[in-house]
PDB file of all heavy atoms in Angstrom:
ATOM      1  N   LYS A   4      90.910 154.309  14.048  1.00 41.00           N
ATOM      2  CA  LYS A   4      90.077 153.324  13.359  1.00 41.00           C
ATOM      3  C   LYS A   4      90.622 153.153  11.960  1.00 41.00           C
ATOM      4  O   LYS A   4      90.749 154.118  11.203  1.00 41.00           O
ATOM      5  CB  LYS A   4      88.619 153.810  13.282  1.00 41.00           C
ATOM      6  CG  LYS A   4      87.667 152.834  12.646  1.00 41.00           C
ATOM      7  CD  LYS A   4      86.265 153.325  12.768  1.00 41.00           C
ATOM      8  CE  LYS A   4      85.260 152.352  12.130  1.00 41.00           C
ATOM      9  NZ  LYS A   4      85.211 151.089  12.860  1.00 41.00           N
ATOM     10  N   LYS A  53      87.701 165.458  10.224  1.00 79.00           N
ATOM     11  CA  LYS A  53      86.676 164.644  10.878  1.00 79.00           C
ATOM     12  C   LYS A  53      85.688 164.110   9.843  1.00 79.00           C
ATOM     13  O   LYS A  53      85.374 164.743   8.844  1.00 79.00           O
ATOM     14  CB  LYS A  53      85.899 165.488  11.912  1.00 79.00           C
ATOM     15  CG  LYS A  53      86.764 165.966  13.089  1.00 79.00           C
ATOM     16  CD  LYS A  53      85.908 166.777  14.052  1.00 79.00           C
ATOM     17  CE  LYS A  53      86.720 167.277  15.222  1.00 79.00           C
ATOM     18  NZ  LYS A  53      85.911 168.088  16.161  1.00 79.00           N
ATOM     19  N   GLN A  54      85.186 162.894  10.111  1.00 78.00           N
ATOM     20  CA  GLN A  54      84.133 162.254   9.329  1.00 78.00           C
ATOM     21  C   GLN A  54      84.374 162.377   7.829  1.00 78.00           C
ATOM     22  O   GLN A  54      83.574 162.876   7.071  1.00 78.00           O
ATOM     23  CB  GLN A  54      82.762 162.874   9.681  1.00 78.00           C
ATOM     24  CG  GLN A  54      82.351 162.600  11.138  1.00 78.00           C
ATOM     25  CD  GLN A  54      80.998 163.171  11.465  1.00 78.00           C
ATOM     26  OE1 GLN A  54      80.668 164.327  11.144  1.00 78.00           O
ATOM     27  NE2 GLN A  54      80.159 162.369  12.099  1.00 78.00           N
ATOM     28  N   SER A  55      85.562 161.908   7.442  1.00 82.00           N
ATOM     29  CA  SER A  55      85.930 161.957   6.025  1.00 82.00           C
ATOM     30  C   SER A  55      86.197 160.542   5.537  1.00 82.00           C
ATOM     31  O   SER A  55      86.407 159.612   6.318  1.00 82.00           O
ATOM     32  CB  SER A  55      87.154 162.843   5.823  1.00 82.00           C
ATOM     33  OG  SER A  55      88.235 162.371   6.587  1.00 82.00           O
ATOM     34  N   THR A  56      86.220 160.392   4.215  1.00 84.00           N
ATOM     35  CA  THR A  56      86.409 159.085   3.602  1.00 84.00           C
ATOM     36  C   THR A  56      87.522 159.175   2.579  1.00 84.00           C
ATOM     37  O   THR A  56      87.696 160.194   1.906  1.00 84.00           O
ATOM     38  CB  THR A  56      85.113 158.622   2.867  1.00 84.00           C
ATOM     39  OG1 THR A  56      84.065 158.567   3.826  1.00 84.00           O
ATOM     40  CG2 THR A  56      85.307 157.252   2.251  1.00 84.00           C
ATOM     41  N   GLY A  57      88.267 158.097   2.423  1.00 86.00           N
ATOM     42  CA  GLY A  57      89.324 158.046   1.433  1.00 86.00           C
ATOM     43  C   GLY A  57      89.366 156.711   0.740  1.00 86.00           C
ATOM     44  O   GLY A  57      89.336 155.654   1.400  1.00 86.00           O
ATOM     45  N   GLY A  79      78.481 154.810  -0.010  1.00 59.00           N
ATOM     46  CA  GLY A  79      78.894 154.555   1.370  1.00 59.00           C
ATOM     47  C   GLY A  79      78.926 155.818   2.216  1.00 59.00           C
ATOM     48  O   GLY A  79      79.045 156.915   1.731  1.00 59.00           O
ATOM     49  N   LEU A  80      78.839 155.572   3.527  1.00 62.00           N
ATOM     50  CA  LEU A  80      78.894 156.645   4.511  1.00 62.00           C
ATOM     51  C   LEU A  80      80.166 156.507   5.338  1.00 62.00           C
ATOM     52  O   LEU A  80      80.689 155.408   5.505  1.00 62.00           O
ATOM     53  CB  LEU A  80      77.673 156.596   5.442  1.00 62.00           C
ATOM     54  CG  LEU A  80      76.316 156.787   4.710  1.00 62.00           C
ATOM     55  CD1 LEU A  80      75.174 156.594   5.736  1.00 62.00           C
ATOM     56  CD2 LEU A  80      76.205 158.154   4.067  1.00 62.00           C
ATOM     57  N   PRO A  81      80.681 157.618   5.883  1.00 62.00           N
ATOM     58  CA  PRO A  81      81.905 157.547   6.708  1.00 62.00           C
ATOM     59  C   PRO A  81      81.612 156.932   8.090  1.00 62.00           C
ATOM     60  O   PRO A  81      80.552 156.360   8.318  1.00 62.00           O
ATOM     61  CB  PRO A  81      82.340 159.007   6.808  1.00 62.00           C
ATOM     62  CG  PRO A  81      81.098 159.784   6.689  1.00 62.00           C
ATOM     63  CD  PRO A  81      80.194 159.004   5.761  1.00 62.00           C
ATOM     64  N   VAL A  82      82.549 157.127   8.987  1.00 56.00           N
ATOM     65  CA  VAL A  82      82.511 156.638  10.374  1.00 56.00           C
ATOM     66  C   VAL A  82      82.376 155.124  10.352  1.00 56.00           C
ATOM     67  O   VAL A  82      83.163 154.440   9.698  1.00 56.00           O
ATOM     68  CB  VAL A  82      81.414 157.329  11.185  1.00 56.00           C
ATOM     69  CG1 VAL A  82      81.617 157.089  12.688  1.00 56.00           C
ATOM     70  CG2 VAL A  82      81.381 158.829  10.932  1.00 56.00           C
ATOM     71  N   GLN A  83      81.366 154.546  11.013  1.00 61.00           N
ATOM     72  CA  GLN A  83      81.356 153.086  11.155  1.00 61.00           C
ATOM     73  C   GLN A  83      81.081 152.353   9.824  1.00 61.00           C
ATOM     74  O   GLN A  83      81.377 151.178   9.703  1.00 61.00           O
ATOM     75  CB  GLN A  83      80.290 152.660  12.197  1.00 61.00           C
ATOM     76  CG  GLN A  83      78.836 152.942  11.814  1.00 61.00           C
ATOM     77  CD  GLN A  83      78.343 154.253  12.344  1.00 61.00           C
ATOM     78  OE1 GLN A  83      79.177 155.158  12.518  1.00 61.00           O
ATOM     79  NE2 GLN A  83      77.051 154.378  12.578  1.00 61.00           N
ATOM     80  N   ASN A  84      80.534 153.055   8.809  1.00 64.00           N
ATOM     81  CA  ASN A  84      80.305 152.415   7.524  1.00 64.00           C
ATOM     82  C   ASN A  84      81.527 152.434   6.637  1.00 64.00           C
ATOM     83  O   ASN A  84      81.543 151.854   5.558  1.00 64.00           O
ATOM     84  CB  ASN A  84      79.128 153.097   6.804  1.00 64.00           C
ATOM     85  CG  ASN A  84      77.806 152.857   7.503  1.00 64.00           C
ATOM     86  OD1 ASN A  84      77.213 151.801   7.341  1.00 64.00           O
ATOM     87  ND2 ASN A  84      77.357 153.827   8.288  1.00 64.00           N
ATOM     88  N   LEU A  85      82.575 153.161   7.074  1.00 62.00           N
ATOM     89  CA  LEU A  85      83.872 153.163   6.442  1.00 62.00           C
ATOM     90  C   LEU A  85      83.877 153.621   4.988  1.00 62.00           C
ATOM     91  O   LEU A  85      84.770 153.290   4.202  1.00 62.00           O
ATOM     92  CB  LEU A  85      84.508 151.754   6.536  1.00 62.00           C
ATOM     93  CG  LEU A  85      84.689 151.244   7.968  1.00 62.00           C
ATOM     94  CD1 LEU A  85      85.161 149.801   7.933  1.00 62.00           C
ATOM     95  CD2 LEU A  85      85.670 152.102   8.720  1.00 62.00           C
ATOM     96  N   GLY A  86      82.827 154.321   4.576  1.00 63.00           N
ATOM     97  CA  GLY A  86      82.741 154.814   3.216  1.00 63.00           C
ATOM     98  C   GLY A  86      82.450 153.730   2.204  1.00 63.00           C
ATOM     99  O   GLY A  86      82.584 153.964   1.008  1.00 63.00           O
ATOM    100  N   LEU A  87      82.063 152.546   2.658  1.00 70.00           N
ATOM    101  CA  LEU A  87      81.777 151.418   1.749  1.00 70.00           C
ATOM    102  C   LEU A  87      80.289 151.236   1.525  1.00 70.00           C
ATOM    103  O   LEU A  87      79.807 151.112   0.414  1.00 70.00           O
ATOM    104  CB  LEU A  87      82.381 150.113   2.287  1.00 70.00           C
ATOM    105  CG  LEU A  87      83.885 150.002   2.200  1.00 70.00           C
ATOM    106  CD1 LEU A  87      84.335 148.696   2.872  1.00 70.00           C
ATOM    107  CD2 LEU A  87      84.320 149.984   0.753  1.00 70.00           C
ATOM    108  N   PHE A  88      79.550 151.157   2.626  1.00 76.00           N
ATOM    109  CA  PHE A  88      78.130 150.832   2.553  1.00 76.00           C
ATOM    110  C   PHE A  88      77.316 151.844   3.373  1.00 76.00           C
ATOM    111  O   PHE A  88      77.886 152.699   4.058  1.00 76.00           O
ATOM    112  CB  PHE A  88      77.863 149.430   3.085  1.00 76.00           C
ATOM    113  CG  PHE A  88      78.737 148.368   2.480  1.00 76.00           C
ATOM    114  CD1 PHE A  88      79.734 147.746   3.242  1.00 76.00           C
ATOM    115  CD2 PHE A  88      78.590 147.994   1.144  1.00 76.00           C
ATOM    116  CE1 PHE A  88      80.538 146.780   2.683  1.00 76.00           C
ATOM    117  CE2 PHE A  88      79.407 147.036   0.590  1.00 76.00           C
ATOM    118  CZ  PHE A  88      80.386 146.426   1.365  1.00 76.00           C
ATOM    119  N   LEU A 128      79.500 144.777   6.126  1.00 86.00           N
ATOM    120  CA  LEU A 128      80.400 145.102   7.219  1.00 86.00           C
ATOM    121  C   LEU A 128      80.285 144.096   8.357  1.00 86.00           C
ATOM    122  O   LEU A 128      81.044 144.171   9.317  1.00 86.00           O
ATOM    123  CB  LEU A 128      80.093 146.511   7.755  1.00 86.00           C
ATOM    124  CG  LEU A 128      80.463 147.650   6.805  1.00 86.00           C
ATOM    125  CD1 LEU A 128      79.989 148.974   7.340  1.00 86.00           C
ATOM    126  CD2 LEU A 128      81.965 147.685   6.567  1.00 86.00           C
ATOM    127  N   THR A 207      88.909 153.632   3.695  1.00 82.00           N
ATOM    128  CA  THR A 207      88.800 153.845   5.142  1.00 82.00           C
ATOM    129  C   THR A 207      88.116 155.177   5.377  1.00 82.00           C
ATOM    130  O   THR A 207      87.876 155.946   4.415  1.00 82.00           O
ATOM    131  CB  THR A 207      90.159 153.831   5.831  1.00 82.00           C
ATOM    132  OG1 THR A 207      89.991 153.854   7.248  1.00 82.00           O
ATOM    133  CG2 THR A 207      90.994 155.027   5.416  1.00 82.00           C
ATOM    134  N   SER A 208      87.780 155.469   6.604  1.00 77.00           N
ATOM    135  CA  SER A 208      87.163 156.751   6.936  1.00 77.00           C
ATOM    136  C   SER A 208      87.508 157.119   8.366  1.00 77.00           C
ATOM    137  O   SER A 208      88.012 156.316   9.133  1.00 77.00           O
ATOM    138  CB  SER A 208      85.636 156.658   6.776  1.00 77.00           C
ATOM    139  OG  SER A 208      85.093 155.773   7.763  1.00 77.00           O
ATOM    140  N   THR A 209      87.268 158.399   8.711  1.00 74.00           N
ATOM    141  CA  THR A 209      87.498 158.866  10.081  1.00 74.00           C
ATOM    142  C   THR A 209      86.197 159.219  10.737  1.00 74.00           C
ATOM    143  O   THR A 209      85.186 159.483  10.067  1.00 74.00           O
ATOM    144  CB  THR A 209      88.414 160.106  10.068  1.00 74.00           C
ATOM    145  OG1 THR A 209      87.775 161.155   9.322  1.00 74.00           O
ATOM    146  CG2 THR A 209      89.759 159.782   9.429  1.00 74.00           C
ATOM    147  N   GLY A 210      86.223 159.270  12.061  1.00 70.00           N
ATOM    148  CA  GLY A 210      85.022 159.614  12.809  1.00 70.00           C
ATOM    149  C   GLY A 210      85.190 160.984  13.442  1.00 70.00           C
ATOM    150  O   GLY A 210      85.812 161.884  12.898  1.00 70.00           O
TER     151      GLY A 210
END
Side-chain angles (χ1 to χ4, degrees):
K4 183 173 180 67
K53 296 180 181 179
Q54 295 182 314
S55 59
T56 301
L80 299 175
V82 196
Q83 67 266 29
N84 292 280
L85 301 173
L87 286 176
F88 309 110
L128 291 173
T207 188
S208 67
T209 60

